[in-house]
Structure formats: structure tokens, C-alpha cells
Amino acid sequence: MTGDTESMTWKDGRLVVPDRPVVPFIAGDGIGPEVWRAAREVIDAAVEASYGRERAIGWIELAAGEAAAARGLGPLPDETLEAIRLHRVAIKGPTMTPVGRGHRSINVTLRRELDLYANVRPVRYFEGVVSPVKNPEVFDVVVFRENTEDVYAGIEFAAGSEEARRIESLLSEMGFTLPESSGIGIKPISRGATRRIVRAALEYAISHGRRRLTLVHKGNIMKYTEGAFLEWGYELVREEFAGRAVVVPDLPEGAEPPEDGIVVGDRIADAMFQDLLLRPQQLDVLVAPNLNGDYLSDACAAQVGGLGLAPGANLGEGRALFESTHGTAPDIAGRNIANPGSMILSGSMMLDHIGWSEASRRIVGALEAVLRSGRVTPDLAAGRRDVHVLGTDAFAAAVVGAFARRQ
Ligand code: NAI
């Protein structure tokens, strides 16, 4: 690469991306280094195929996970956090959280420390992949999951603890009686966090030409948390997106939604799980609080054939961390058989995020071509005779080869 690398910056609410941005990466543990190596090869080749020598990524490696702990650095060194803060956009493979008391999950810590409040999971079907449903090809959904609060806020008290007893007595003053020996968890959902996740989802929907946004909630049961999520979400749409989005309850009786602009509706979470199976073609961008968003993301991925081809991103104000959605798969690590698809697509999503959409699209197109031609990694080949099985490296080479032919 020629020319100096520079950090991306954040100016007037926009990411400013130089032609040679520094992008930190965490290769990860288990299969992480294998799938990362494959993805990096694909990302670099896509950038070169799209922009020649005009643009290139200046990668820097950051330590995290087991690999970092083994070097005596602790699972998430401060320098790693600082580098992501500084360079703004980063990508990571799966990391192992060392087992034992006191170790918080690296992903949870990264999300919290960097205030990455939106977990984004686009899920679509790729022809050539076995799916458990009859018409997987109609599935093309993006899940925005709130990342910072809800029952994941970590406010929990063990049954019988001093804290639990104090809360029990407070509740009893308010006229509520808990069954004896109750563990207690608190479910905070705030207006601020709701507004920013809905705003992020709407901005994504607008910039990606999506038509519908659905707020998924259990507001019929949990009125002041999940129900408030719906109310605050609609309020945000009315206040900030008038003319660009319309809220379904505001449409006149019997009126068709407008041709342009985003139609924002809502669905109770349990009905949404039915819709995923029965009416997936009507779903587009979904936005949900943390717990329901967690379930929804994996249910969506399962419908198109598993986590192997679902990319992920965690977005914050002027910061973004892209990551594969599977774990470290210790059972297959080091054997060059892991599917690098999720990591490759996370890279494509990162390129799209920084505005390098041509390179991003090139990766998706090439991956489509490779899978369609029946070239797959062993996880996608189980029980099939009609496929040609490739190892991790060969799969990445096939993807790169597919965009060479497309030029
Ligand atoms: P896992 O996703 O690592 O593995 C579940 C199953 O899927 C295994 O049979 C594995 O071989 C297979 N698998 C996963 N990714 C694959 C790929 N790319 N290609 C082919 N097969 C693949 O989940 P598990 O076993 O629950 O977790 C293992 C470790 O990963 C744990 O230490 C966990 O903490 C960590 N983990 C890390 C995540 C992250 O960093 N984002 C996410 C989930 C788990």
C-alpha cells in the first residue's frame, strides 16, 4: 500500500473516511484467526478490485480474548479499547471469555465501554444453502436490537441476598408480595435509549432503501417498559421523521400507506415469531428491546440456514464494531474447515458503513456466486451430495476468484 494511513473522524454527526483509513481488528480465539484471515483476504481484494490503488485499509491488530490473556494482558486490555475509541471503526472475530468468576464477556464489555447501543443483524437467504423453511428466498430482514438496557442491564439480586430482601420489603410497602426466595432482576427501558435505537434503525432504513420498520415489543403485558418502548418509538418518528416516515396508527382509516417514505408499525413479539415463518415477505427492518431482539436475531438466522452467514455490527455514536455472529467453535478450530461467511459478510457490512459500497456489494455478489455454484464449507455440506466442499482458505480464494471474473 502506498500513502499514509489516517484515522477516521467524526464531524457534524458524520463519519469522515480517508482513502487509507486505519482499521483495528481483533482476530479472536478458536476459529477466529482462520475466519479472520479468510475475511481479510476477501476485504482487501474487494477494495483493490473496486478502487485500484486509490483506496486501501491500514489494518492494525489489537489483543483481546484468550490470546491476550495468554500473553498476560488480561482478556480486554485498555489499549484495545482505546484504539477502537480512537479509530472509530473496528472488526472482530469471536473471542472466548475465560471461564471463571469476575470475567465479564468481552463482547458485553466492549458494547458497554464504547456505548455501542445498536446491535444490527441483517439476515437474508443465499441460494445454495439448505434452510429449514419452504421459501427461504423471500427472507430479507434487518434486526436492530437495543444493546444497553432491558433485563441485560445486569441489575440482578440472588434469592435470599440482603439486596433482594430490601427490595422485597420495599415492594411490600407498595402492596406487592413476592413468593418466598425470589431472585430479582430489574428491567429498565428508558426514553433516551429507545429514541436512539429507533432513530438508528430509521436512518438505516432510509439510507438502505427499506420500506417498513416494525417495532417489536410485549407492551400488552409490560406496559411501562415494552409498552413505553412502542410509545417513545412512535413519538420519535413523529417528531424527527415527519415527511420521511409515517406511523401506521396515524394513517386515516382504510388509507393505503404512502408510496414513498418508511411505514412504521408495531407487532407484539410472540406474533412476530409467527410472522417470521408465515409472512416473512412483509417484514423488512425490525427494532426491538434487548431480550426480544436477542431471540429474534437468532430465529431469523436459523430460518436462512444458521449463524454461519449472518453478519453483525454494534453501532454507537460515531463508533462501530463489526463482528461475526458465531462463537469460537473450539471443536473445529485449527482445521481449516470453519465457514468464514459470517466474518466475510461482517467485512462487507463494514465497507458499506464507511461508504465503500462498491467493494461491499462486490463481496456479496461474489459470495452469492460461489454458494450458488455449490461450493461450500463442510458445515453447509452436511448430508448433501450436490456440493463441492472447500476448506476455509479455499472458500475465501473462491470468493476472490468470483469477483475477478465479474470485472
Ligand atoms: P459456537 O458458535 O462457537 O459453536 C456452536 C457450533 O457451531 C459448534 O458445533 C461449532 O463448530 C459450529 N460453528 C460455529 N461457527 C462456525 C463456523 N464459522 N463454521 C462452521 N461451524 C461453526 O458456540 P459455543 O460453542 O456456544 O461457544 C464457544 C465459545 O465461543 C464460548 O467460549 C463462547 O463464549 C464464545 N462465543 C463468542 C462469541 C463472540 O465472540 N461473538 C459469540 C458466541 C460464543
Side-chain angles (χ1 to χ4, degrees):
M1 187 173 69
T2 55
D4 290 337
T5 57
E6 291 171 70
S7 294
M8 295 183 216
T9 50
W10 182 248
K11 202 158 175 264
D12 303 328
R14 291 179 68 90
L15 193 65
V16 181
V17 183
D19 284 339
R20 284 169 169 65
V22 177
V23 177
F25 71 87
I26 294 167
D29 301 316
I31 59 169
E34 300 160 59
V35 292
W36 166 247
R37 190 173 57 240
R40 177 175 169 169
E41 183 188 326
V42 171
I43 297 166
D44 283 339
V47 170
E48 197 188 336
S50 305
Y51 312 112
R53 299 175 72 83
E54 291 291 300
R55 289 179 178 171
I57 291 175
W59 300 108
I60 55 166
E61 178 159 18
L62 303 180
E66 208 180 17
R71 283 164 48 198
L73 297 172
L76 186 60
D78 287 346
E79 300 78 59
T80 294
L81 271 174
E82 266 322 298
I84 302 175
R85 269 200 197 99
L86 174 69
H87 299 297
R88 296 193 168 272
V89 173
I91 186 164
K92 76 177 278 291
T95 40
M96 202 197 89
T97 300
V99 181
R101 282 181 175 273
H103 286 299
R104 260 165 67 195
S105 148
I106 288 165
N107 289 317
V108 170
T109 312
L110 278 167
R111 289 172 196 174
R112 195 157 295 171
E113 291 290 324
L114 300 168
D115 196 22
L116 302 171
Y117 60 83
N119 180 269
V120 188
R121 184 91 68 84
V123 187
R124 52 154 291 193
Y125 178 68
F126 284 90
E127 196 186 330
V129 174
V130 175
S131 145
V133 300
K134 281 188 190 147
N135 300 111
E137 67 285 349
V138 299
F139 203 91
D140 185 6
V141 167
V142 184
V143 181
F144 271 72
R145 162 189 170 197
E146 205 287 326
N147 240 350
T148 65
E149 49 181 29
D150 197 353
V151 284
Y152 286 57
I155 312 172
E156 286 197 297
F157 306 103
S161 64
E162 167 62 18
E163 293 91 340
R165 274 202 293 273
R166 282 166 66 188
I167 292 174
E168 267 172 46
S169 86
L170 181 65
L171 287 173
S172 125
E173 276 172 36
M174 295 179 183
F176 298 101
T177 311
L178 295 185
E180 208 176 312
S181 324
S182 293
I184 299 174
I186 307 278
K187 178 184 173 79
I189 289 200
S190 69
R191 179 167 177 266
T194 300
R195 285 172 70 94
R196 67 181 182 173
I197 184 81
V198 175
R199 185 185 295 117
L202 258 170
E203 281 168 357
Y204 178 97
I206 291 168
S207 64
H208 288 77
R210 298 279 179 162
R211 291 299 325 278
R212 285 177 169 273
L213 185 126
T214 308
L215 298 160
V216 187
H217 61 92
K218 278 295 284 183
N220 54 333
I221 306 295
M222 293 167 271
K223 297 192 191 324
Y224 304 122
T225 50
E226 301 264 334
F229 178 84
L230 170 64
E231 289 307 315
W232 290 324
Y234 278 163
E235 169 195 271
L236 182 277
V237 180
R238 293 182 184 115
E239 283 178 18
E240 294 187 9
F241 291 85
R244 291 184 290 162
V246 60
V247 167
V248 171
D250 294 349
L251 288 170
E253 184 84 22
E256 286 292 313
E259 284 293 306
D260 53 352
I262 314 279
V263 179
V264 183
D266 79 286
R267 200 84 170 122
I268 304 279
D270 38 77
M272 176 53 74
F273 280 92
Q274 294 187 49
D275 288 352
L276 288 180
L277 288 166
L278 303 176
R279 279 181 284 278
Q281 64 281 7
Q282 290 172 14
L283 304 176
D284 203 345
V285 179
L286 313 181
V287 53
N290 213 335
L291 178 63
N292 287 329
D294 191 2
Y295 297 156
L296 270 175
S297 305
D298 278 20
C300 289
Q303 204 157 321
V304 296
L307 285 178
L309 291 168
N314 292 292
L315 308 180
E317 198 65 18
R319 293 210 163 68
L321 178 64
F322 295 83
E323 62 179 357
S324 54
T325 47
H326 51 74
T328 59
D331 50 335
I332 57 165
R335 291 165 55 195
N336 191 34
I337 56 172
N339 179 355
S342 172
M343 195 82 243
I344 289 173
L345 286 169
S346 298
S348 162
M349 210 179 159
M350 183 186 83
L351 293 171
D352 176 58
H353 182 78
I354 67 171
W356 295 11
S357 2
E358 186 184 337
S360 168
R361 279 197 303 268
R362 197 177 285 263
I363 291 175
V364 175
L367 193 68
E368 280 171 345
V370 170
L371 293 169
R372 201 183 310 117
S373 71
R375 287 170 293 169
V376 295
T377 43
D379 55 306
L380 299 180
R384 295 176 66 187
R385 296 220 178 111
D386 56 334
V387 288
H388 182 61
V389 181
L390 299 178
T392 312
D393 290 347
F395 187 83
V399 174
V400 172
F403 41 74
R405 278 197 301 279
R406 283 161 53 86
Q407 282 179 56

Coordinates of all heavy atoms in Angstrom, one line a residue, residues 134-208:
K134 N -39.7 -23.6 3.6 CA -40.0 -23.9 2.2 C -39.6 -22.8 1.2 O -39.1 -23.1 0.1 CB -41.5 -24.1 2.0 CG -42.0 -25.5 2.5 CD -43.4 -25.6 2.1 CE -44.0 -26.8 2.7 NZ -45.4 -26.7 3.1
N135 N -39.8 -21.5 1.6 CA -39.4 -20.4 0.7 C -38.4 -19.5 1.3 O -38.7 -18.3 1.6 CB -40.7 -19.7 0.3 CG -41.7 -20.6 -0.4 OD1 -42.7 -20.9 0.1 ND2 -41.3 -21.0 -1.6
P136 N -37.2 -20.0 1.6 CA -36.3 -19.1 2.3 C -35.9 -17.9 1.5 O -35.5 -16.8 2.0 CB -35.1 -20.0 2.5 CG -35.2 -21.0 1.5 CD -36.6 -21.2 1.2
E137 N -36.1 -17.9 0.2 CA -35.6 -16.8 -0.7 C -36.3 -15.5 -0.5 O -35.8 -14.5 -0.9 CB -35.6 -17.3 -2.2 CG -37.0 -17.4 -2.8 CD -37.7 -18.7 -2.3 OE1 -37.1 -19.6 -1.7 OE2 -38.9 -18.9 -2.6
V138 N -37.5 -15.6 0.2 CA -38.2 -14.3 0.4 C -37.7 -13.6 1.7 O -38.1 -12.5 2.0 CB -39.7 -14.5 0.5 CG1 -40.3 -15.0 -0.8 CG2 -40.1 -15.3 1.7
F139 N -36.8 -14.3 2.4 CA -36.4 -13.7 3.7 C -35.3 -12.7 3.5 O -34.2 -13.0 3.0 CB -35.9 -14.8 4.6 CG -36.0 -14.5 6.0 CD1 -37.1 -14.8 6.8 CD2 -34.9 -13.9 6.7 CE1 -37.1 -14.5 8.1 CE2 -35.0 -13.5 8.0 CZ -36.1 -13.8 8.7
D140 N -35.5 -11.5 4.0 CA -34.5 -10.4 3.9 C -34.9 -9.4 4.9 O -35.6 -8.4 4.7 CB -34.5 -9.8 2.5 CG -33.4 -8.7 2.3 OD1 -32.6 -8.6 3.2 OD2 -33.4 -8.1 1.2
V141 N -34.4 -9.6 6.1 CA -34.8 -8.8 7.3 C -33.5 -8.3 8.0 O -32.5 -8.9 8.0 CB -35.6 -9.8 8.3 CG1 -35.7 -9.2 9.6 CG2 -36.9 -10.2 7.7
V142 N -33.7 -7.0 8.5 CA -32.6 -6.5 9.3 C -33.1 -6.3 10.8 O -34.1 -5.6 10.9 CB -32.1 -5.1 8.8 CG1 -30.9 -4.6 9.6 CG2 -31.7 -5.3 7.3
V143 N -32.4 -6.9 11.7 CA -32.9 -6.7 13.1 C -32.0 -5.7 13.8 O -30.7 -5.8 13.8 CB -32.8 -8.1 13.9 CG1 -33.2 -7.9 15.3 CG2 -33.6 -9.2 13.2
F144 N -32.6 -4.7 14.4 CA -31.9 -3.7 15.3 C -32.3 -4.1 16.7 O -33.5 -4.0 17.0 CB -32.4 -2.3 15.0 CG -31.5 -1.6 13.9 CD1 -31.6 -2.0 12.6 CD2 -30.6 -0.6 14.2 CE1 -30.9 -1.4 11.6 CE2 -29.8 0.0 13.3 CZ -30.0 -0.4 11.9
R145 N -31.3 -4.4 17.5 CA -31.6 -4.8 18.8 C -30.9 -3.8 19.8 O -29.7 -3.5 19.6 CB -31.0 -6.2 19.1 CG -30.8 -6.6 20.5 CD -30.0 -7.9 20.6 NE -29.6 -8.2 21.9 CZ -28.6 -9.0 22.2 NH1 -28.0 -9.7 21.3 NH2 -28.3 -9.2 23.5
E146 N -31.7 -3.3 20.7 CA -31.1 -2.4 21.7 C -30.1 -3.1 22.6 O -30.4 -4.2 23.0 CB -32.3 -1.8 22.5 CG -31.9 -0.4 23.1 CD -30.9 -0.4 24.3 OE1 -30.9 -1.4 25.0 OE2 -30.1 0.5 24.4
N147 N -29.0 -2.5 22.8 CA -27.8 -3.2 23.3 C -27.5 -2.9 24.8 O -26.6 -3.6 25.3 CB -26.6 -2.9 22.5 CG -25.9 -4.0 21.8 OD1 -26.3 -5.2 22.1 ND2 -25.0 -3.7 20.9
T148 N -28.1 -1.9 25.4 CA -27.6 -1.4 26.6 C -28.5 -1.6 27.9 O -28.0 -1.4 29.0 CB -27.2 0.1 26.5 OG1 -28.5 0.8 26.4 CG2 -26.3 0.4 25.4
E149 N -29.7 -1.9 27.7 CA -30.6 -1.9 28.9 C -31.5 -3.2 28.8 O -31.1 -4.2 28.4 CB -31.3 -0.6 29.0 CG -32.0 -0.1 27.8 CD -32.7 1.2 28.1 OE1 -32.3 2.0 28.9 OE2 -33.8 1.5 27.4
D150 N -32.7 -3.0 29.4 CA -33.6 -4.1 29.5 C -33.1 -5.1 30.6 O -32.2 -4.7 31.3 CB -33.8 -4.8 28.1 CG -35.0 -5.7 28.0 OD1 -35.6 -6.0 29.0 OD2 -35.2 -6.2 26.8
V151 N -33.5 -6.3 30.6 CA -33.0 -7.3 31.6 C -31.5 -7.6 31.5 O -31.0 -8.3 32.3 CB -33.8 -8.6 31.6 CG1 -35.2 -8.4 32.3 CG2 -34.0 -9.1 30.2
Y152 N -30.9 -7.1 30.4 CA -29.5 -7.3 30.2 C -28.6 -6.2 31.0 O -27.4 -6.2 30.9 CB -29.1 -7.3 28.8 CG -29.5 -8.5 28.0 CD1 -30.8 -8.9 28.0 CD2 -28.6 -9.3 27.3 CE1 -31.2 -10.0 27.3 CE2 -28.9 -10.4 26.6 CZ -30.3 -10.8 26.6 OH -30.7 -11.9 25.9
A153 N -29.3 -5.3 31.6 CA -28.6 -4.2 32.3 C -27.7 -4.8 33.4 O -26.9 -4.1 34.0 CB -29.5 -3.2 32.8
G154 N -27.9 -6.0 33.8 CA -27.1 -6.6 34.8 C -27.5 -6.3 36.2 O -26.7 -6.4 37.2
I155 N -28.7 -5.8 36.4 CA -29.2 -5.4 37.8 C -30.0 -6.6 38.3 O -31.2 -6.8 38.1 CB -30.1 -4.2 37.8 CG1 -29.4 -3.1 37.0 CG2 -30.3 -3.7 39.2 CD1 -30.2 -1.8 36.7
E156 N -29.3 -7.5 39.0 CA -29.9 -8.7 39.5 C -29.5 -9.0 40.9 O -28.4 -8.7 41.3 CB -29.4 -9.9 38.6 CG -29.9 -10.0 37.2 CD -29.7 -11.3 36.7 OE1 -28.6 -11.7 36.5 OE2 -30.7 -12.0 36.4
F157 N -30.4 -9.6 41.7 CA -30.1 -9.9 43.1 C -30.5 -11.4 43.4 O -31.6 -11.8 43.0 CB -30.9 -8.9 44.0 CG -30.6 -7.5 43.6 CD1 -31.6 -6.8 42.9 CD2 -29.4 -6.9 44.0 CE1 -31.3 -5.4 42.6 CE2 -29.1 -5.6 43.6 CZ -30.1 -4.9 42.9
A158 N -29.6 -12.1 43.9 CA -29.8 -13.5 44.2 C -30.9 -13.7 45.3 O -31.0 -12.8 46.2 CB -28.5 -14.2 44.7
A159 N -31.6 -14.8 45.2 CA -32.7 -15.1 46.2 C -32.0 -15.1 47.5 O -30.9 -15.7 47.7 CB -33.3 -16.4 45.8
G160 N -32.6 -14.5 48.5 CA -32.1 -14.6 49.9 C -31.1 -13.6 50.2 O -30.6 -13.5 51.3
S161 N -30.6 -12.8 49.2 CA -29.5 -11.9 49.5 C -30.1 -10.7 50.2 O -31.3 -10.4 50.2 CB -28.8 -11.4 48.2 OG -29.8 -10.7 47.4
E162 N -29.2 -9.9 50.8 CA -29.6 -8.7 51.6 C -30.3 -7.8 50.6 O -31.4 -7.2 51.0 CB -28.3 -8.1 52.2 CG -28.4 -6.7 52.7 CD -29.4 -6.6 53.9 OE1 -29.7 -7.6 54.5 OE2 -29.9 -5.5 54.2
E163 N -29.8 -7.6 49.4 CA -30.4 -6.7 48.4 C -31.8 -7.1 48.1 O -32.7 -6.3 48.0 CB -29.5 -6.6 47.2 CG -28.2 -5.9 47.3 CD -27.1 -6.9 47.6 OE1 -27.4 -8.1 48.1 OE2 -25.9 -6.6 47.5
A164 N -31.9 -8.5 47.8 CA -33.2 -9.0 47.4 C -34.2 -8.8 48.6 O -35.4 -8.4 48.3 CB -33.1 -10.5 47.1
R165 N -33.8 -9.0 49.8 CA -34.7 -8.8 50.9 C -35.1 -7.3 51.0 O -36.3 -7.0 51.3 CB -34.0 -9.2 52.2 CG -34.2 -10.7 52.5 CD -34.0 -11.1 53.9 NE -32.7 -10.9 54.4 CZ -31.7 -11.8 54.3 NH1 -32.0 -13.0 53.8 NH2 -30.5 -11.6 54.7
R166 N -34.2 -6.4 50.8 CA -34.5 -5.0 50.8 C -35.5 -4.6 49.8 O -36.5 -3.8 50.0 CB -33.3 -4.1 50.7 CG -32.5 -4.1 52.0 CD -31.1 -3.5 51.9 NE -31.1 -2.1 51.5 CZ -30.0 -1.4 51.2 NH1 -28.8 -2.1 51.2 NH2 -30.1 -0.2 50.9
I167 N -35.3 -5.2 48.6 CA -36.3 -4.9 47.5 C -37.7 -5.5 47.8 O -38.7 -4.8 47.6 CB -35.7 -5.3 46.1 CG1 -34.5 -4.5 45.8 CG2 -36.8 -5.2 45.1 CD1 -33.8 -4.9 44.6
E168 N -37.6 -6.7 48.4 CA -38.9 -7.3 48.8 C -39.7 -6.5 49.7 O -40.9 -6.3 49.6 CB -38.6 -8.7 49.4 CG -38.6 -9.9 48.5 CD -38.1 -11.1 49.1 OE1 -38.5 -11.4 50.3 OE2 -37.3 -11.8 48.5
S169 N -38.9 -5.9 50.7 CA -39.6 -5.1 51.7 C -40.1 -3.8 51.1 O -41.2 -3.3 51.4 CB -38.8 -4.9 53.0 OG -38.0 -3.8 52.9
L170 N -39.4 -3.2 50.2 CA -39.8 -2.0 49.5 C -41.1 -2.3 48.7 O -42.1 -1.6 48.8 CB -38.8 -1.5 48.6 CG -39.1 -0.2 47.8 CD1 -39.2 1.0 48.7 CD2 -38.0 0.1 46.8
L171 N -41.1 -3.5 48.0 CA -42.3 -3.8 47.2 C -43.4 -4.1 48.1 O -44.6 -3.8 47.8 CB -41.9 -5.1 46.4 CG -41.0 -4.9 45.2 CD1 -40.6 -6.2 44.5 CD2 -41.7 -3.9 44.2
S172 N -43.2 -4.7 49.3 CA -44.3 -5.0 50.2 C -44.9 -3.7 50.7 O -46.1 -3.6 50.8 CB -43.8 -5.9 51.3 OG -44.1 -5.5 52.5
E173 N -44.1 -2.7 50.9 CA -44.6 -1.3 51.3 C -45.6 -0.8 50.2 O -46.5 -0.1 50.4 CB -43.5 -0.3 51.4 CG -42.9 -0.3 52.8 CD -41.6 0.6 52.7 OE1 -41.7 1.7 52.0 OE2 -40.6 0.3 53.4
M174 N -45.2 -1.2 48.9 CA -46.1 -0.7 47.8 C -47.2 -1.7 47.5 O -48.0 -1.5 46.5 CB -45.2 -0.7 46.5 CG -44.1 0.4 46.6 SD -43.2 0.3 45.0 CE -41.9 1.4 45.2
G175 N -47.3 -2.7 48.3 CA -48.5 -3.6 48.2 C -48.3 -4.8 47.3 O -49.2 -5.5 46.9
F176 N -47.0 -5.1 47.0 CA -46.7 -6.3 46.1 C -46.0 -7.3 47.0 O -45.1 -7.0 47.7 CB -45.8 -5.9 45.0 CG -46.3 -4.9 44.0 CD1 -46.0 -3.6 44.1 CD2 -47.3 -5.3 43.0 CE1 -46.5 -2.7 43.2 CE2 -47.8 -4.4 42.1 CZ -47.4 -3.1 42.2
T177 N -46.5 -8.6 46.9 CA -45.8 -9.6 47.7 C -45.2 -10.6 46.7 O -45.8 -11.1 45.8 CB -46.9 -10.4 48.5 OG1 -47.7 -9.4 49.2 CG2 -46.2 -11.3 49.5
L178 N -43.9 -10.9 46.9 CA -43.1 -11.8 46.1 C -43.2 -13.2 46.7 O -43.1 -13.3 48.0 CB -41.7 -11.4 45.9 CG -41.4 -10.1 45.2 CD1 -39.9 -9.9 45.0 CD2 -42.0 -10.1 43.8
P179 N -43.2 -14.3 45.9 CA -43.0 -15.6 46.5 C -41.7 -15.6 47.3 O -40.7 -15.0 46.9 CB -43.0 -16.5 45.3 CG -43.6 -15.7 44.2 CD -43.3 -14.3 44.5
E180 N -41.7 -16.4 48.4 CA -40.5 -16.5 49.2 C -39.3 -17.0 48.3 O -39.5 -17.7 47.3 CB -40.8 -17.6 50.2 CG -40.0 -17.4 51.5 CD -40.3 -18.4 52.6 OE1 -41.6 -18.6 52.8 OE2 -39.4 -19.0 53.1
S181 N -38.1 -16.6 48.7 CA -36.9 -16.9 47.9 C -37.0 -16.6 46.4 O -36.8 -17.5 45.6 CB -36.5 -18.4 48.0 OG -36.8 -18.9 49.2
S182 N -37.4 -15.4 46.1 CA -37.4 -15.0 44.7 C -36.0 -14.3 44.4 O -35.6 -13.4 45.1 CB -38.5 -13.9 44.5 OG -39.7 -14.5 44.6
G183 N -35.4 -14.7 43.3 CA -34.4 -14.0 42.7 C -35.0 -12.8 42.0 O -36.2 -12.9 41.5
I184 N -34.3 -11.7 41.9 CA -34.9 -10.4 41.4 C -34.0 -9.9 40.3 O -32.8 -9.7 40.5 CB -35.2 -9.4 42.5 CG1 -36.1 -10.0 43.6 CG2 -35.8 -8.1 41.9 CD1 -36.3 -9.1 44.8
G185 N -34.7 -9.6 39.2 CA -33.9 -8.9 38.1 C -34.7 -7.6 37.7 O -36.0 -7.6 37.8
I186 N -34.0 -6.5 37.4 CA -34.7 -5.3 37.1 C -34.6 -5.1 35.5 O -33.6 -5.3 34.9 CB -34.0 -4.1 37.8 CG1 -33.9 -4.4 39.3 CG2 -34.7 -2.8 37.5 CD1 -35.1 -4.1 40.1
K187 N -35.7 -4.6 35.0 CA -35.8 -4.4 33.5 C -36.0 -2.9 33.2 O -37.1 -2.4 33.1 CB -37.0 -5.2 33.0 CG -37.3 -5.0 31.5 CD -38.6 -5.8 31.2 CE -39.0 -5.6 29.8 NZ -38.2 -6.4 28.8
P188 N -34.9 -2.2 33.2 CA -35.1 -0.7 32.8 C -35.1 -0.5 31.3 O -34.4 -1.1 30.6 CB -33.8 -0.1 33.4 CG -32.8 -1.2 33.4 CD -33.5 -2.5 33.4
I189 N -36.1 0.3 30.9 CA -36.1 0.7 29.5 C -36.4 2.2 29.5 O -37.4 2.7 30.1 CB -37.3 -0.1 28.7 CG1 -36.8 -1.5 28.5 CG2 -37.5 0.6 27.3 CD1 -37.5 -2.3 27.5
S190 N -35.5 2.9 28.9 CA -35.6 4.4 29.0 C -36.0 5.0 27.7 O -35.8 4.5 26.6 CB -34.2 5.0 29.4 OG -33.3 4.8 28.4
R191 N -36.5 6.3 27.8 CA -36.9 7.0 26.7 C -35.7 7.3 25.8 O -35.8 7.2 24.6 CB -37.6 8.3 27.1 CG -38.1 9.2 26.0 CD -39.0 10.3 26.6 NE -39.4 11.2 25.5 CZ -38.8 12.4 25.2 NH1 -37.7 12.7 25.9 NH2 -39.3 13.1 24.3
G192 N -34.6 7.7 26.4 CA -33.4 8.1 25.6 C -32.9 7.0 24.8 O -32.6 7.1 23.6
A193 N -32.7 5.8 25.5 CA -32.2 4.6 24.8 C -33.1 4.1 23.7 O -32.7 3.7 22.6 CB -31.9 3.5 25.7
T194 N -34.4 4.3 23.9 CA -35.4 3.9 22.9 C -35.3 4.8 21.7 O -35.3 4.3 20.6 CB -36.8 3.9 23.5 OG1 -36.9 3.0 24.6 CG2 -37.9 3.5 22.5
R195 N -35.3 6.1 22.0 CA -35.3 7.0 20.9 C -34.0 6.8 20.0 O -34.1 6.8 18.8 CB -35.3 8.5 21.4 CG -36.7 8.9 21.9 CD -36.7 10.2 22.6 NE -36.4 11.3 21.7 CZ -37.4 12.1 21.1 NH1 -38.7 11.8 21.3 NH2 -37.1 13.1 20.3
R196 N -32.9 6.6 20.6 CA -31.7 6.5 19.8 C -31.6 5.2 18.9 O -31.2 5.2 17.8 CB -30.4 6.7 20.5 CG -30.0 5.7 21.6 CD -28.7 6.1 22.3 NE -28.4 5.1 23.3 CZ -27.2 5.1 23.9 NH1 -26.4 6.1 23.7 NH2 -27.0 4.1 24.8
I197 N -32.2 4.1 19.5 CA -32.2 2.9 18.7 C -33.2 3.0 17.5 O -32.9 2.6 16.4 CB -32.4 1.6 19.6 CG1 -32.3 0.3 18.7 CG2 -33.8 1.6 20.2 CD1 -30.9 -0.2 18.5
V198 N -34.3 3.6 17.8 CA -35.3 3.7 16.8 C -34.8 4.7 15.7 O -35.0 4.5 14.5 CB -36.7 4.2 17.3 CG1 -37.7 4.5 16.2 CG2 -37.3 3.1 18.3
R199 N -34.1 5.8 16.1 CA -33.5 6.7 15.2 C -32.5 6.0 14.3 O -32.5 6.1 13.1 CB -32.9 7.9 16.0 CG -32.3 9.0 15.1 CD -31.6 10.0 15.9 NE -32.4 10.8 16.8 CZ -32.3 10.7 18.1 NH1 -31.3 10.0 18.7 NH2 -33.1 11.4 18.9
A200 N -31.6 5.2 14.9 CA -30.6 4.5 14.2 C -31.3 3.5 13.1 O -30.8 3.5 12.0 CB -29.7 3.7 15.1
A201 N -32.3 2.9 13.6 CA -33.0 1.9 12.7 C -33.6 2.6 11.5 O -33.6 2.2 10.3 CB -34.0 1.1 13.4
L202 N -34.2 3.8 11.8 CA -34.9 4.6 10.7 C -33.9 5.1 9.7 O -34.1 5.1 8.5 CB -35.7 5.7 11.3 CG -37.2 5.4 11.4 CD1 -37.9 6.5 12.3 CD2 -37.8 5.4 10.0
E203 N -32.8 5.7 10.3 CA -31.8 6.2 9.4 C -31.2 5.1 8.5 O -31.0 5.3 7.3 CB -30.7 6.9 10.2 CG -31.1 8.2 10.7 CD -30.2 8.9 11.7 OE1 -29.2 8.2 12.2 OE2 -30.5 10.0 12.1
Y204 N -31.0 3.9 9.1 CA -30.6 2.8 8.3 C -31.6 2.4 7.2 O -31.3 2.3 6.0 CB -30.3 1.6 9.2 CG -29.9 0.3 8.4 CD1 -28.6 0.0 8.4 CD2 -30.8 -0.5 7.8 CE1 -28.2 -1.2 7.7 CE2 -30.4 -1.7 7.1 CZ -29.1 -2.0 7.1 OH -28.7 -3.1 6.4
A205 N -32.9 2.4 7.6 CA -33.9 2.0 6.6 C -34.0 3.0 5.5 O -34.0 2.6 4.3 CB -35.3 2.0 7.4
I206 N -33.8 4.3 5.8 CA -33.9 5.3 4.8 C -32.6 5.2 3.8 O -32.8 5.1 2.6 CB -33.9 6.7 5.4 CG1 -35.3 6.9 6.1 CG2 -33.7 7.8 4.3 CD1 -35.4 8.2 7.0
S207 N -31.4 5.0 4.4 CA -30.2 5.0 3.6 C -30.1 3.7 2.8 O -29.4 3.6 1.9 CB -29.0 5.3 4.4 OG -28.8 4.2 5.4
H208 N -30.8 2.7 3.2 CA -30.7 1.4 2.5 C -32.0 1.1 1.7 O -32.1 -0.1 1.3 CB -30.4 0.3 3.5 CG -29.0 0.3 4.0 ND1 -28.6 1.2 5.0 CD2 -27.9 -0.3 3.7 CE1 -27.3 1.1 5.2 NE2 -26.9 0.1 4.4

